[in-house]
Amino acid sequence: MSDTGDAQPWLYRLLEPDGRQSLRRRLLAFLLVPLMLMLLLESLITYTGALVYSNHVHDRDLAGGAETVARMLQLGMDGPISEQAKFLLQYDPEGHNNINYFSIVSEHHGLIAGTPTLVPPSRLSLAVNGEPKLFDAMVERRKLRAASVVIDSTHEAGDTLTVTLAETLRDRRQNAREILLLSIPAQALLIASVFVLVWFGVRIGLRQLDPLTARLAAREHDLAPIGDADVPVEILPLTRTIDGLFARLRAMLALQERFIADAAHQLRTPLAGLRVHVERAQADPSRETVNDALDHILRLTQRATRTSGQLLALTRAQSPDHAGDPHGLLDLARMVPDLLALRVHEALAVGVDLGYEGPPTPAWVDGDRITLQELLDNLLDNALRYAGRNSMVTVGVTDDEDSACLSVEDNGPGVPPAFLARLGERFFRVPGSNEEGTGLGLAIVQRIAERHRAQVRYIAGSEGGLRVEVRFPHARTARKDSDA
């Protein structure tokens, strides 16, 4: 709840007073608001329908009343209309204080009786002895509903009488409200029943999670996938996400176990050697023996340091936390010469001629400079270590339509064709090699290349040595610029 703060709707704060999220409460909240809106909408629709029905009934009675008065006049009512008749025309039999109006207008003599302002509009087009017609009128600031009918006068030939009856709208609205009040309890009871059914339905539906909860609670150190066996469809995305998390955890644990095993495997020999030479120096404290033991200890320490460093580098290269796509835009044709300049003195010290061949134009790739420097350093370490003195090592960069290629080639003794396919395996060293090594350098190269979606190829060099090619896909940004 802390992510939404005061902006949380009041209904959620009401249903979640302790501040903890509840799926059941959320579902009920989402249902309660629409149900209340439906009750209001249904009440409005009911009132509108009841008002339409009440208007229809009252209009029919009003038209019938006008027609009845007209017939009474045609049956020989003599002289002006009596006070008793006026009272009956204006009388409200229901006792609702509903005010009724009437008017009788002669074509030749004008108003005979009733309200002088109650006249049908000219647009009504009343026919003599025709059907009564209804219209809206305004008398004494009251809105009325009226009905008019035209008949022939029985007292004067050629004269016509227009009979109009009108009433206020109070009864119509009162009837509509009564119908609404009768329907609201039934509608409210129906909605309350639906809400209760939904409440129990949600509770029963959420019980389907109990077997899954029990199965997960029974686990201790098991990171196997949950699977889809007893998982409701609605939470499959959640369980599959958890399965993905379990997979990453298994990979991390496997990587940790592999690192421990690799460290034990690689450090056992130098540590055992250190112990032997320390015991030898303790057994014979002569100057010559101690100096010789210290020389061996120094070399073994350097070997252990290099081994631990490469183990850490391999672990970083294999770690899922660093498995995302690289985002930096790098120019191999510029980066590689800069990195080679740092290794020239080392090549001279071991008697190796280190050279570079590259294109005059940029060779853009998507990559991480630090890990690519580590890749190149391991390729150079491998070449400088195994090429031998008075050999040549050439680092090249080429760029074509499909990819950019980084290559390291030497003219040393090379690798027998039968073992080329195994280069890049952890701890693999070519049989018969006299040089000390951990067998991790090319494995690190392989993992870093995979992170950059690059392909590594080991082939025989043009002068009998080993050639390693790392082919990178072109940078996506560079391709877009070239297409534009």
Side-chain angles (χ1 to χ4, degrees):
M1 300 293 290
S2 58
D3 58 340
T4 55
D6 295 335
Q8 186 74 291
W10 66 269
L11 183 59
Y12 289 163
R13 293 198 295 270
L14 179 63
L15 293 176
E16 300 174 4
D18 56 355
R20 299 189 63 182
Q21 294 186 7
S22 168
L23 180 59
R24 181 184 292 107
R25 293 172 182 171
R26 287 280 177 117
L27 289 174
L28 294 174
F30 277 116
L31 289 172
L32 179 60
V33 173
L35 286 176
M36 297 301 294
L37 293 176
M38 286 178 60
L39 177 60
L40 293 176
L41 180 61
E42 180 65 21
S43 299
L44 179 61
I45 294 174
T46 301
Y47 178 77
T48 303
L51 187 59
V52 169
Y53 175 74
S54 179
N55 284 332
H56 176 72
V57 172
H58 279 261
D59 284 349
R60 185 178 60 191
D61 293 342
L62 192 62
E67 195 170 17
T68 300
V69 172
R71 288 178 181 176
M72 291 173 60
L73 291 174
Q74 281 183 327
L75 291 176
M77 183 178 289
D78 205 5
I81 195 166
S82 66
E83 292 299 325
Q84 291 84 357
K86 292 179 182 180
F87 175 78
L88 292 175
L89 289 174
Q90 295 175 339
Y91 175 66
D92 178 17
E94 301 294 334
H96 293 159
N97 296 321
N98 194 46
I99 301 175
N100 297 326
Y101 298 84
F102 78 97
S103 68
I104 301 174
V105 181
S106 169
E107 183 180 2
H108 293 170
H109 305 288
L111 180 68
I112 295 175
T115 304
T117 57
L118 183 60
V119 293
S122 57
R123 59 178 174 78
L124 207 58
S125 302
L126 292 168
V128 179
N129 298 320
E131 294 291 330
K133 291 193 176 181
L134 297 160
F135 63 94
D136 295 323
M138 186 71 69
V139 175
E140 298 176 358
R141 295 184 180 180
R142 290 189 177 95
K143 188 175 181 181
L144 306 177
R145 185 68 170 166
S148 292
V149 62
V150 179
I151 60 173
D152 290 321
S153 175
T154 58
H155 301 288
E156 183 179 343
D159 190 13
T160 60
L161 298 177
T162 302
V163 180
T164 303
L165 293 184
E167 64 180 8
T168 56
L169 305 180
R170 183 182 181 280
D171 274 355
R172 300 165 181 253
R173 293 168 180 167
Q174 180 66 28
N175 292 338
R177 285 194 293 269
E178 290 175 356
I179 295 175
L180 175 62
L181 292 175
L182 289 174
S183 64
I184 283 180
Q187 295 171 0
L189 178 61
L190 177 62
I191 289 180
S193 300
V194 171
F195 189 76
V196 172
L197 290 176
V198 170
W199 178 284
F200 283 103
V202 170
R203 291 188 61 184
I204 295 173
L206 292 178
R207 288 177 185 172
Q208 295 184 12
L209 300 179
D210 292 344
L212 175 62
T213 303
R215 184 154 58 90
L216 291 177
R219 294 188 178 190
E220 293 184 359
H221 304 291
D222 185 9
L223 294 178
I226 298 174
D228 302 342
D230 56 353
V231 179
V233 176
E234 290 77 10
I235 65 168
L236 273 178
L238 174 63
T239 57
R240 289 171 179 172
T241 302
I242 295 175
D243 285 344
L245 175 62
F246 283 174
R248 292 191 292 273
L249 288 175
R250 290 197 302 272
M252 290 291 294
L253 292 175
L255 185 64
Q256 182 181 14
E257 293 174 357
R258 182 183 300 174
F259 174 78
I260 294 173
D262 292 346
H265 178 269
Q266 289 296 310
L267 296 178
R268 183 173 59 247
T269 300
L271 290 177
L274 287 173
R275 179 178 179 179
V276 168
H277 290 292
V278 168
E279 291 176 349
R280 185 164 66 92
Q282 290 177 338
D284 184 5
S286 63
R287 185 179 184 85
E288 294 79 7
T289 301
V290 170
N291 287 338
D292 183 66
L294 289 176
D295 289 339
H296 282 86
I297 289 173
L298 177 62
R299 288 195 298 271
L300 289 172
T301 303
Q302 291 174 342
R303 177 181 174 184
T305 301
R306 175 176 172 78
T307 299
S308 61
Q310 287 197 312
L311 283 171
L312 290 173
L314 180 62
T315 302
R316 286 194 302 270
Q318 293 175 331
S319 174
D321 292 340
H322 302 283
D325 291 336
H327 297 292
L329 187 63
L330 301 176
D331 178 15
L332 289 181
R334 181 176 179 179
M335 183 186 75
V336 172
D338 293 342
L339 297 179
L340 286 181
L342 303 176
R343 304 295 298 271
V344 171
H345 67 284
E346 183 180 345
L348 294 175
V350 295
V352 173
D353 182 9
L354 181 62
Y356 169 74
E357 295 178 356
T361 57
W364 297 106
V365 298
D366 288 320
D368 175 64
R369 182 181 179 89
I370 295 177
T371 54
L372 286 182
Q373 179 177 355
E374 194 168 6
L375 178 146
L376 180 60
D377 285 341
N378 278 279
L379 288 177
L380 288 175
D381 287 343
N382 187 76
L384 296 178
R385 182 180 298 274
Y386 295 103
R389 296 189 66 84
N390 301 321
S391 61
M392 293 189 303
V393 174
T394 303
V395 179
V397 174
T398 58
D399 188 38
D400 54 33
E401 294 182 357
D402 298 327
S403 60
C405 181
L406 168 65
S407 63
V408 177
E409 182 177 353
D410 64 71
N411 62 349
V415 176
F419 299 112
L420 287 176
R422 297 195 59 187
L423 296 179
E425 294 181 7
R426 294 165 46 249
F427 306 120
F428 175 76
R429 299 181 67 240
V430 177
S433 174
N434 295 324
E435 295 292 333
E436 292 185 356
T438 62
L440 294 174
L442 294 182
I444 296 172
V445 170
Q446 192 77 32
R447 301 291 88 75
I448 295 176
E450 290 173 358
R451 283 181 51 190
H452 288 76
R453 304 184 307 280
Q455 301 292 327
V456 183
R457 191 166 68 133
Y458 305 98
I459 58 177
S462 58
E463 298 183 16
L466 175 66
R467 177 180 176 88
V468 183
E469 294 181 350
V470 184
R471 193 166 293 276
F472 298 86
H474 275 149
R476 288 169 289 186
T477 306
R479 284 201 300 269
K480 291 178 181 177
D481 294 341
S482 63
D483 293 341

